[in-house]
């Protein structure tokens, strides 16, 4: 009996050691893949994503962090310098910074590029390499409160600039004035990059409605920032600022959808990516959408200014590039991208992915819209943020449209030599026949 008991104890001990070793071995064989993103809004999707990815890739443990856009650049640069990130959220604007471009791995040989919109492929390309695996397209739109419009006597969506200003006037009168808690337009402009959304939506139906090749002309020196079309953009931008809530430049961007949902604001001029936040806020009114009609002719107000909203890049030199490739290829699978479109309501980069939300369908599948890419003015807008900083002065009354036009032209001239290589790359991508013909 003692011998049998001893045998059992030994057997149990061996089994325990074996199980412990197996668990420890599994854990030891898992490699941590550090991922950083600026899409804090996509938290629920990436919880699902990580669970599914790790099921199929049991040798990888994903450490996923996201931070708001205000702090993303600083954190990303810090982690890149410290070697603490393997996959990071990126945008085409990153190509204008050697800080990022030097760290990006060429993804051209990945099996992810089928069915992707040709314009998106362009935006993910610099030189002969593709550095960004794109996950979404986004555009500048107007969300509006249908109930408040009706109460203010606005019977139809505005289709011209005059109709839009008339709607703003009616909303202001109906609300009894503009304060921090009510206004025709709500916006959070403390995150200064958000000013670009407004500039882009105004520009699309003025500049490129009149001259689709305006940015080609600007790049080649056939025009400059004192062009009458730019002056018109800035004049209308100055007009629109008076209809924002008081303190717009002091409010965080992320707060705008929630404030809009209170029903005290007529419109929110924003990126289409805010749709998920608007839905999550559960407003008790019907939300509509239209393109900002900045042209005086209704037939020309059909340009939706859109871009690659985001994607992922792989950090070079980490030793974990092969694992990172598996992360990218999993993310870009059709079933995963459809799940992303469903949960995050972002515009799909692939032609075989569908959006289901009614407003998303208006944004991304509208046969009446003419989609014009932001790539055509990225090199103008991105130069050390000078447009953003100067445009903010319109909101605070420190400048006017005429003075701002002169300032932007001077700054554009000043930065042009520095920007020449990027502009050349942009021309090669978008106008190869003209450059090489």
């Amino acid at each position: 009996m003692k011998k049998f008991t001893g045998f059992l104890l030994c057997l149990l001990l061996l089994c325990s050691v074996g199980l412990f070793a197996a668990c420890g071995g599994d854990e030891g064989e898992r490699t941590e893949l550090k991922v950083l993103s600026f899409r804090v809004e996509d938290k629920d999707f990436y919880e699902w994503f990580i669970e599914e990815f790790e099921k199929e890739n049991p040798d990888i443990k994903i450490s996923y962090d996201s931070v708001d856009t205000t702090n993303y650049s600083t954190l990303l640069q810090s982690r890149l310098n410290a070697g603490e990130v393997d996959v990071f959220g990126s945008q085409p604007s990153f190509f204008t910074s050697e800080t990022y471009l030097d760290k990006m791995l060429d993804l051209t040989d990945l099996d992810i590029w089928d069915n992707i919109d040709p314009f998106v492929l362009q935006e993910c390309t610099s030189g002969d390499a593709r550095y960004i695996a794109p996950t979404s397209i986004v555009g500048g739109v107007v969300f509006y409160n249908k109930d408040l419009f009706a109460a203010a006597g606005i019977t139809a969506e505005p289709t011209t600039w005059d109709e839009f200003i008339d709607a703003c006037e009616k909303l202001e009168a109906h609300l009894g004035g503009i304060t921090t808690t009510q206004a025709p337009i709500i916006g959070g402009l403390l995150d200064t990059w958000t000013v670009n959304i407004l500039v882009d939506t105004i520009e699309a139906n003025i500049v490129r409605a009149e001259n689709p090749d305006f940015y080609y002309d600007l790049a080649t020196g056939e025009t400059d920032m004192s062009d009458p079309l730019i002056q018109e953009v800035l004049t209308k931008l100055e007009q629109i600022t008076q209809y924002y809530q008081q303190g717009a430049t002091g409010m965080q961007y992320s707060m705008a959808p929630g404030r809009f949902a209170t029903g005290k604001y007529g419109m929110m001029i924003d990126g289409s990516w805010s749709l998920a936040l608007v839905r999550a806020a559960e407003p008790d009114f019907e939300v509509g959408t239209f393109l900002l009609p900045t042209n005086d002719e209704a037939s020309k107000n059909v340009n939706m200014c859109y871009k690659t909203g985001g994607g992922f890049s792989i950090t070079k030199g980490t030793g974990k590039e092969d694992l990172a490739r598996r992360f990218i290829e999993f993310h870009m699978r059709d079933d995963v991208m459809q799940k992303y479109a469903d949960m995050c309501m972002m515009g799909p980069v692939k032609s075989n992915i569908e959006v289901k939300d009614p407003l998303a369908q208006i944004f991304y599948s509208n046969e009446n819209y003419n989609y014009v890419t932001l790539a055509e003015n990225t090199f103008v807008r991105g130069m050390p943020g000078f447009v953003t900083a100067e445009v903010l002065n319109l909101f605070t009354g420190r400048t006017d449209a005429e003075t701002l036009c002169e300032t932007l032209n001077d700054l554009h001239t000043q930065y042009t030599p520095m920007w020449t290589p990027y502009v050349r790359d942009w021309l090669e991508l978008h106008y190869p026949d003209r450059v090489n013909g």
Side-chain angles (χ1 to χ4, degrees):
M1 183 68 179
K2 287 182 179 180
K3 289 182 178 180
F4 181 70
T5 303
F7 173 75
L8 280 178
L9 288 172
C10 290
L11 184 62
L12 288 171
L13 179 61
L14 286 170
C15 289
S16 299
V17 170
L19 286 171
F20 180 79
C23 293
D26 285 347
E27 186 65 25
E29 291 172 5
R30 297 181 74 194
T31 302
E32 183 182 29
L33 195 67
K34 298 177 180 178
V35 181
L36 182 64
S37 170
F38 54 83
R39 287 288 303 171
V40 294
E41 305 93 333
D42 298 344
K43 176 178 177 292
D44 291 344
F45 169 78
Y46 283 104
E47 287 180 354
W48 171 87
F49 177 97
I50 291 169
E51 182 178 353
E52 295 302 313
F53 178 84
E54 290 183 350
K55 283 180 184 176
E56 295 191 22
N57 298 272
D59 58 324
I60 300 176
K61 175 179 174 56
I62 294 180
S63 175
Y64 179 88
D65 291 320
S66 61
V67 66
D68 60 85
T69 53
T70 304
N71 300 300
Y72 183 70
S73 178
T74 301
L75 181 59
L76 175 57
Q77 290 185 41
S78 173
R79 292 199 179 179
L80 284 171
N81 291 335
E84 290 294 319
V85 62
D86 304 304
V87 179
F88 59 92
S90 55
Q91 294 184 332
S93 60
F94 282 24
F95 292 154
T96 65
S97 170
E98 295 302 323
T99 301
Y100 299 126
L101 193 55
D102 287 348
K103 300 285 188 178
M104 291 176 167
L105 185 73
D106 184 0
L107 309 180
T108 305
D109 63 346
L110 268 64
D111 185 21
I112 62 173
W113 305 107
D114 289 346
N115 300 314
I116 293 182
D117 189 296
F119 121 81
V120 176
L121 292 178
Q122 285 184 331
E123 290 208 318
C124 295
T125 302
S126 182
D128 297 323
R130 292 173 180 165
Y131 294 104
I132 299 173
T135 55
S136 66
I137 57 171
V138 293
V141 300
V142 181
F143 296 94
Y144 76 100
N145 181 335
K146 288 190 174 184
D147 295 355
L148 194 56
F149 264 49
I154 305 167
T155 58
E157 294 173 358
T159 60
T160 66
W161 176 250
D162 286 344
E163 290 176 2
F164 175 76
I165 294 298
D166 181 63
C168 289
E169 292 286 335
K170 287 178 178 176
L171 286 165
E172 181 179 358
H174 174 73
L175 292 167
I178 296 175
T179 67
T180 57
T181 58
Q182 60 181 38
I185 306 172
I186 177 75
L189 304 177
L190 181 61
D191 303 13
T192 55
W193 64 268
T194 61
V195 172
N196 296 336
I197 302 170
L198 181 57
V199 174
D200 295 336
T201 50
I202 292 175
E203 175 274 332
N205 286 314
I206 295 176
V207 174
R208 276 175 288 168
E210 303 296 339
N211 178 7
D213 286 339
F214 175 84
Y215 291 105
Y216 173 86
D217 294 341
L218 187 64
T220 56
E222 295 173 48
T223 189
D224 58 31
M225 293 288 279
S226 67
D227 190 286
L229 291 173
I230 296 296
Q231 293 184 36
E232 183 179 349
V233 169
L234 297 178
T235 298
K236 289 179 176 176
L237 178 63
E238 186 175 26
Q239 285 181 265
I240 208 173
T241 61
Q242 64 186 297
Y243 299 107
Y244 273 74
Q245 87 277 16
Q246 293 179 8
T249 57
M251 191 179 83
Q252 286 186 330
Y253 170 71
S254 59
M255 295 177 65
R259 294 283 183 89
F260 174 67
T262 65
K264 298 295 185 180
Y265 305 92
M267 293 173 279
M268 184 173 71
I269 303 171
D270 205 333
S272 57
W273 58 84
S274 285
L275 175 58
L277 294 178
V278 170
R279 295 298 195 206
E282 298 183 343
D284 62 359
F285 55 85
E286 186 178 359
V287 179
T289 184
F290 57 86
L291 296 182
L292 188 61
T294 52
N295 206 293
D296 299 323
E297 296 182 37
S299 62
K300 294 182 178 179
N301 286 313
V302 295
N303 282 349
M304 181 178 185
C305 203
Y306 77 140
K307 67 171 185 174
T308 302
F312 285 100
S313 295
I314 296 175
T315 310
K316 287 194 298 188
T318 65
K320 292 185 279 186
E321 289 89 343
D322 286 344
L323 303 184
R325 286 186 177 94
R326 283 155 63 183
F327 174 95
I328 297 290
E329 289 181 336
F330 182 89
H331 200 308
M332 297 299 293
R333 268 178 18 191
D334 288 350
D335 59 325
V336 176
M337 293 298 284
Q338 184 63 63
K339 184 78 171 182
Y340 183 71
D342 293 343
M343 292 185 68
C344 303
M345 303 180 193
M346 302 283 276
V349 298
K350 290 187 168 188
S351 59
N352 56 335
I353 303 301
E354 297 180 355
V355 291
K356 298 172 183 176
D357 184 279
L359 290 184
Q361 290 176 349
I362 294 175
F363 299 157
Y364 306 120
S365 306
N366 198 320
E367 62 182 15
N368 296 316
Y369 286 1
N370 178 37
Y371 294 90
V372 294
T373 170
L374 262 183
E376 297 195 305
N377 67 344
T378 295
F379 72 87
V380 178
R381 207 166 43 83
M383 295 182 190
F386 73 75
V387 172
T388 301
E390 295 298 332
V391 167
L392 272 174
N393 289 331
L394 275 181
F395 280 86
T396 55
R398 290 194 292 265
T399 192
D400 56 47
E402 184 177 355
T403 303
L404 178 57
C405 192
E406 295 174 0
T407 301
L408 294 183
N409 191 44
D410 289 344
L411 287 168
H412 181 257
T413 301
Q414 175 185 335
Y415 284 114
T416 293
M418 183 189 312
W419 231 239
T420 299
Y422 178 70
V423 173
R424 186 183 304 117
D425 188 31
W426 177 85
L427 288 170
E428 288 277 359
L429 280 170
H430 294 278
Y431 295 92
D433 295 341
R434 298 187 192 182
V435 173
N436 301 317

